Amino acid sequence: MAKSINGFSKLPKTEKIDWLVENFCEGSPEAEKVLKQYWNADAKLQQLHDEFIENTISNFYLPLGLAPNFLINEEYLTLPMVIEESSVVAAASKAAKFWSERGGFKARVISTEKIGQVHFKYSGDRIELEKTIEQLKPKMLEAAKPITQNMEKRGGGILSIDLVDKTKELKEYFQLFVTFDTRDSMGANFINSCLEKFAEVLETNLPKEQLTVIMSILSNYVPECLVYAEVSCKVDDLGGDSHLSGEEFAEKFVQAVNIAEVEPYRAVTHNKGVMNGIDAVVLATGNDFRAVEAGVHAFASKDGRYTSLTHAEIKNGIFRFWIEIPLALGTVGGLTSLHPLVKLALDILQRPNALELMKIAAVAGLAQNFAALRSLITTGIQQGHMKMHLMNILNQHQATKEEKKKMVDFFTHHTITHSSVIEQLEKLRANEL
Ligand code: MEV
């Protein structure tokens, strides 16, 4: 069996599949069928997807759901969400409705600066280097002009170039620390291209024997690309939705947030819930969720201890719940104009610019966190999850409408486990019930 292969990338798609099926799927025709089942019937659309990455053999679907009723800065939006986890879209929709009846979400962008670095080693004199870098700045900007001129027309570009001495941390290590405004694009290509131009300028103007450029790359840590979102209402207006009074709910809620603020084990799960909302919007709008995740979690530990991304307080009878989070997002470039569903998602969001999308994503995170905490401090999270779990099992076993109804009734008073559901379904089908 040839489990390793040379020249795989050169094979046509069908031969890639043949190789896979033969070597890893025991020649099963079922494997080939499944892969092909997910090809798009529209050959052009399929080719588009094939070309997003390399060695494509099929498409991997994730559900695209809608969470309506998000009142953000006085305007209603419906959020497209791409996520595989059940309950998330339902929770977002529920939180959106809840807050739409209490003034909605208020959001604003605090800053939009992105960062890139040229990391290099320099063995010469530090003062000399400082002087030379100062002199080279106009040359660097000039070298990057073909890349920056369009961005400048849109009001963005390079904001600053600074030399940073890191020699105390690592021998001979310096960096050019560059800040950018990339307007409505996420800006990764733009930033990296500029940085590589700067590196070339360093290489042509500093003595070869003293300089080694190690790498030029953007940073996904963007603490100066920040967005803020909040909800607030009278404490009394929080009651009625559970067995807790408004005051009890608010106090328990603030406690839950405080726990995530001081306890990293809880903070990670708390923030995971925030990211359920953010990632789903980030994915739907064709943005880079790995970049967002990396930057967000670095931000959550910026003060040396991993902490909550959201905060809550009660002051003078008013409950306030907020998030401040770094989000480098784009609404032009990348997948935004290529992927038909991304285009549609942006249409659903009323064609936001990057700043508006930052606000929307932050709100999605806040709403999701609100919904999770509300469940956790009232009914517990499993009630909703297990209901979904029950439906998933029933769907897997092709339960009829009638069967589903009987099973839901039964499991309102019984514990849901995979085996208990199967056992009950079998009994039902054997007419034992
Ligand atoms: C599950 O995907 C997310 C939660 O665990 C978040 C939380 O605990 O806050 C429910």
Side-chain angles (χ1 to χ4, degrees), residues 116-349:
Q117 296 160 307
V118 178
H119 304 272
F120 63 95
K121 289 223 146 184
Y122 180 74
S123 59
D125 180 64
R126 188 179 59 85
I127 307 289
E128 270 309 302
L129 178 66
E130 268 172 23
K131 270 198 229 150
T132 316
I133 294 292
E134 256 337 287
Q135 285 161 3
L136 288 178
K137 276 186 191 173
K139 263 195 188 166
M140 291 191 218
L141 294 175
E142 192 54 37
K145 202 91 218 149
I147 309 158
T148 55
Q149 57 196 9
N150 267 339
M151 188 62 86
E152 281 165 10
K153 272 188 211 145
R154 307 205 312 256
I158 296 159
L159 302 176
S160 64
I161 307 174
D162 288 301
L163 175 70
V164 182
D165 180 348
K166 289 274 183 181
T167 51
K168 285 207 179 83
E169 285 142 84
L170 189 64
K171 193 171 162 243
E172 296 176 354
Y173 169 36
F174 291 87
Q175 56 177 244
L176 288 183
F177 187 94
V178 190
T179 60
F180 299 86
D181 178 345
T182 64
R183 297 278 112 177
D184 287 332
S185 66
M186 193 267 191
N189 280 331
F190 171 75
I191 294 174
N192 291 335
S193 302
C194 289
L195 294 171
E196 286 183 8
K197 285 285 169 213
F198 297 168
E200 274 171 36
V201 172
L202 292 186
E203 278 169 333
T204 43
N205 288 278
L206 285 164
K208 264 194 177 45
E209 59 288 359
Q210 293 179 333
L211 173 85
T212 312
V213 171
I214 307 293
M215 58 191 161
S216 310
I217 187 75
L218 92 167
S219 173
N220 290 125
Y221 184 42
V222 282
E224 298 303 329
C225 188
L226 273 186
V227 55
Y228 172 91
E230 72 164 33
V231 284
S232 66
C233 71
K234 284 193 196 133
V235 164
D236 290 344
D237 293 345
L238 288 168
D241 205 46
S242 67
H243 58 281
L244 302 176
S245 70
E247 201 178 324
E248 286 165 337
F249 179 92
E251 272 167 15
K252 222 174 160 188
F253 192 99
V254 171
Q255 278 298 310
V257 175
N258 290 162
I259 289 169
E261 284 168 341
V262 300
E263 164 50 51
Y265 280 95
R266 173 57 201 150
V268 171
T269 316
H270 177 98
N271 290 347
K272 188 272 183 186
V274 171
M275 298 314 288
N276 276 345
I278 294 181
D279 279 338
V281 172
V282 167
L283 268 168
T285 55
N287 276 279
D288 181 343
F289 66 94
R290 287 88 55 212
V292 167
E293 282 279 344
V296 162
H297 296 296
F299 183 76
S301 39
K302 69 179 188 327
D303 297 322
R305 181 174 69 179
Y306 190 89
T307 185
S308 170
L309 292 164
T310 59
H311 308 280
E313 66 174 18
I314 305 165
K315 237 187 195 167
N316 304 326
I318 303 290
F319 167 83
R320 187 168 73 97
F321 178 46
W322 71 98
I323 186 167
E324 194 174 295
I325 192 170
L327 289 174
L329 300 177
T331 53
V332 298
L335 277 194
T336 54
S337 51
L338 282 179
H339 196 303
L341 282 176
V342 168
K343 275 197 253 177
L344 182 66
L346 289 167
D347 284 346
I348 294 169
L349 290 173

Side-chain angles (χ1 to χ4, degrees), residues 85 88 266 269-270 272-273 276 369 372-373 376 381 385:
E85 183 176 333
V88 169
R266 173 57 201 150
T269 316
H270 177 98
K272 188 272 183 186
N276 276 345
N369 189 222
L373 293 182
L376 286 168
I381 206 75
H385 275 189

Side-chain angles (χ1 to χ4, degrees), residues 66-70 79 81 87-100 367-368 371 374:
L66 290 180
N69 300 319
F70 271 88
L79 268 48
M81 299 180 82
S87 306
V88 169
V89 176
S93 310
K94 221 170 149 194
K97 188 96 179 83
F98 181 91
W99 284 107
S100 72
Q368 208 66 51
R374 184 164 65 162

